[in-house]
Amino acid sequence: ARSFRSQGSRTGRREAMSRDIALYGAYGQIGSILRKHWGERVISVGENTPKRFAETVVWCATRKPDHEDLSLYIDDTHAFMQMLLGCAINGVRRVIFTSSFGVETDDGRTVPLNAYAAGKIAGEAFTEAWKRLGEGRSACIIRMGGYGPLTPSGAWYEMEPDEICAVYDEALMRTGFSVLSPTWDKRPPD
């Protein structure tokens, strides 16, 4: 049973899932999991491959930390904005943006605590704007927990591959604008 905080609407129909998914960051930690999970549905887009578009575009590309290096995340945000522009030009209907649990405070506000969080917050804002500026578009933001070698084992925000796949599958079912926070219920009490 999945348990995570959710804002927005869900179609509730399996047919809402796209047949083609352009996966940006397909060779990274999260992208590799999703590429394997979705199989033939994925068009893999990596750092050295040309931009590609499909019915759905999933963005899980980011730089490796230094979370304090503003220039890295300005570049990431610019690349994401360029991809959104390409989505608008190419008639993409759904965008899923991978954000981070680290942008959200306990009371649900978003706060740019470092350059990485600032880039994610900017990406969230552009994702919502892209959705609102086009007829029939859907957008979902996933405020991911941690996964991989930089996440301490047993950390409250740690996510397993099956949890990652479940939240992205949920995002594919969403219509309108949604924000999913899969680790929200795992937060320790103050």
Side-chain angles (χ1 to χ4, degrees), residues 31-49:
S32 294
I33 292 168
L34 295 175
R35 198 176 73 245
K36 181 179 177 186
H37 175 65
W38 287 330
E40 295 295 317
R41 297 171 59 197
V42 170
I43 299 167
S44 298
V45 184
E47 190 171 359
N48 297 316
T49 58

Side-chain angles (χ1 to χ4, degrees), residues 23 25-35 60 98-99 144-145 147 164 168:
L23 180 60
Y27 302 99
Q29 291 178 19
I30 294 170
S32 294
I33 292 168
L34 295 175
R35 198 176 73 245
C60 56
T98 305
S99 188
M144 280 293 297
Y147 175 76
I164 292 168
Y168 280 88

Side-chain angles (χ1 to χ4, degrees), residues 96-115:
I96 299 171
F97 176 71
T98 305
S99 188
S100 170
F101 75 96
V103 304
E104 196 169 22
T105 63
D106 289 339
D107 61 2
R109 293 178 301 119
T110 54
V111 178
L113 297 174
N114 54 38

Side-chain angles (χ1 to χ4, degrees), residues 1-178:
R2 290 188 313 262
S3 174
F4 48 82
R5 191 174 124 201
S6 168
Q7 304 165 3
S9 60
R10 181 170 183 248
T11 64
R13 297 188 330 251
R14 196 77 180 157
E15 300 87 72
M17 296 184 85
S18 7
R19 290 188 325 265
D20 295 312
I21 302 165
L23 180 60
Y24 283 72
Y27 302 99
Q29 291 178 19
I30 294 170
S32 294
I33 292 168
L34 295 175
R35 198 176 73 245
K36 181 179 177 186
H37 175 65
W38 287 330
E40 295 295 317
R41 297 171 59 197
V42 170
I43 299 167
S44 298
V45 184
E47 190 171 359
N48 297 316
T49 58
K51 288 182 182 164
R52 300 283 306 273
F53 299 97
E55 182 180 325
T56 296
V57 170
V58 176
W59 182 273
C60 56
T62 192
R63 305 279 179 170
K64 293 191 185 331
D66 177 2
H67 283 136
E68 303 303 323
D69 186 345
L70 191 59
S71 66
L72 293 177
Y73 301 104
I74 289 172
D75 290 346
D76 273 1
T77 303
H78 184 257
F80 178 67
M81 290 166 45
Q82 291 292 339
M83 188 275 306
L84 280 179
L85 180 59
C87 287
I89 292 167
N90 289 285
V92 171
R93 308 309 297 162
R94 178 186 321 276
V95 169
I96 299 171
F97 176 71
T98 305
S99 188
S100 170
F101 75 96
V103 304
E104 196 169 22
T105 63
D106 289 339
D107 61 2
R109 293 178 301 119
T110 54
V111 178
L113 297 174
N114 54 38
Y116 173 78
K120 292 297 188 181
I121 291 168
E124 288 188 11
F126 280 105
T127 300
E128 186 171 4
W130 173 86
K131 186 271 177 231
R132 296 191 190 292
L133 293 172
E135 185 78 25
R137 293 178 182 169
S138 293
C140 186
I141 293 165
I142 300 175
R143 292 184 178 153
M144 280 293 297
Y147 175 76
L150 298 177
T151 302
S153 180
W156 66 265
Y157 51 87
E158 182 180 29
M159 292 183 71
E160 296 298 326
D162 61 329
E163 294 174 299
I164 292 168
C165 294
V167 75
Y168 280 88
D169 285 346
E170 176 72 18
L172 286 174
M173 302 284 285
R174 295 296 175 123
T175 59
F177 178 74
S178 302

